[in-house]
Amino acid sequence: MTDPEAAEPAWSVTAHRATSPDGVDTVHVVVVGAIDPNNAPELRAVWTAAVRPRVPQCLELDLTGVVFCGSHGVRSLVEAADACEAAGITMRVIASPPVRRVAAITHLADVLHIED
């Protein structure tokens, strides 16, 4: 019998734009579940749409709900970092332990701007 509490969380990705109290125009993207080949394109589409047509000052990726990040997820995150750098957008990643582990193994923690 499967323990429902041990079940992997359902995949979801949402984005919203807000201005912080210090006036920074920020797009917040919240991801829950596993980033795998099936949904990495959706993640890419969400962050791409979130920074267009009006470019924010900051793109914040909240990955605290991510339980797995495969190579397709890493690729999407690196593409986000590259796009932000090219557009002059500050990128911040708030990562779960699985994302931190992948970033450490791939030596991409600095590239992905993972917050402590």
Side-chain angles (χ1 to χ4, degrees):
M1 193 153 111
T2 305
D3 179 4
E5 290 185 33
E8 186 175 294
W11 164 257
S12 70
V13 58
T14 58
H16 70 277
R17 188 177 211 121
T19 302
S20 68
D22 56 352
V24 177
D25 179 28
T26 303
V27 170
H28 301 272
V29 176
V30 180
V31 182
V32 175
I35 307 173
D36 59 28
N38 296 320
N39 53 37
E42 182 182 355
L43 172 58
R44 187 176 304 108
V46 168
W47 69 252
T48 300
V51 298
R52 295 186 183 137
R54 195 180 73 177
V55 176
Q57 293 170 289
C58 180
L59 173 64
E60 181 178 270
L61 299 174
D62 180 347
L63 307 179
T64 55
V66 172
V67 296
F68 172 81
C69 184
S71 61
H72 289 81
V74 171
R75 179 178 175 184
S76 181
L77 296 174
V78 169
E79 288 173 349
D82 290 346
C84 284
E85 184 176 339
I89 300 169
T90 300
M91 182 171 133
R92 287 193 313 245
V93 175
I94 304 160
S96 65
V99 174
R100 287 182 181 281
R101 191 169 30 259
V102 168
I105 291 168
T106 59
H107 303 285
L108 290 172
D110 290 337
V111 171
L112 299 178
H113 309 282
I114 293 180
E115 303 255 318
D116 290 328

